[in-house]
């Protein structure tokens, strides 16, 4: 008899450069996106958008590090880090925000410890 076990540690899902996805993504681990996604993304852990990453849709996660492009609303429970190559077009709701010089952000920002979860659940 085979016994099923869960993998140890957090699982990391990767969408590589040159990959295009049309549709929503729901991930229970961490995720890195270097390709293009048109759709909403919900990640229970951390999401990293690489320099070649291009997202058109809403992002909901615990933590995020963005180096690429996002066109849509972003809801982060804890820390959102915008690297110098990030280009954001949309509203942000997060508890903590760090923006490196060179990053561009066009939209509104709401910072509150409970705001990200509450706002994301309304959408």
């Amino acid at each position: 008899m085979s016994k099923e076990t869960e993998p140890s540690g957090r699982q990391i899902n990767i969408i590589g450069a040159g990959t295009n996805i049309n549709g929503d993504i729901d991930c229970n681990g961490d995720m890195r996106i270097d390709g293009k996604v048109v759709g909403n993304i919900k990640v229970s852990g951390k999401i990293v958008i690489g320099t070649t990453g291009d997202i058109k849709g809403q992002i909901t996660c615990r933590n995020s590090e963005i180096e690429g492009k996002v066109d849509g609303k972003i809801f982060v429970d804890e820390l959102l880090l915008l690297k110098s190559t990030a280009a954001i077009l949309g509203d942000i709701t997060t508890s903590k925000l760090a923006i490196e010089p060179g990053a561009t952000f066009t939209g509104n920002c709401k910072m509150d410890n409970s705001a990200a979860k509450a706002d994301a659940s309304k959408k």
Side-chain angles (χ1 to χ4, degrees), residues 7-47:
S8 60
R10 293 189 73 97
Q11 187 174 20
I12 299 174
N13 298 283
I14 299 172
I15 298 173
T19 302
N20 296 316
I21 295 179
N22 291 306
D24 295 344
I25 297 173
D26 192 349
C27 173
N28 286 326
D30 295 336
M31 177 170 275
R32 179 178 178 93
I33 300 176
D34 292 305
K36 182 175 183 177
V37 176
V38 177
N40 298 325
I41 302 169
K42 185 177 180 182
V43 176
S44 64
K46 180 178 182 178
I47 185 168

Side-chain angles (χ1 to χ4, degrees), residues 2 12 17 20 30 47-48 76 79 88 93 98 112 116 122:
S2 173
I12 299 174
N20 296 316
D30 295 336
I47 185 168
V48 175
V76 180
L79 174 64
I88 310 299
T93 302
D112 185 357
K122 293 179 189 175

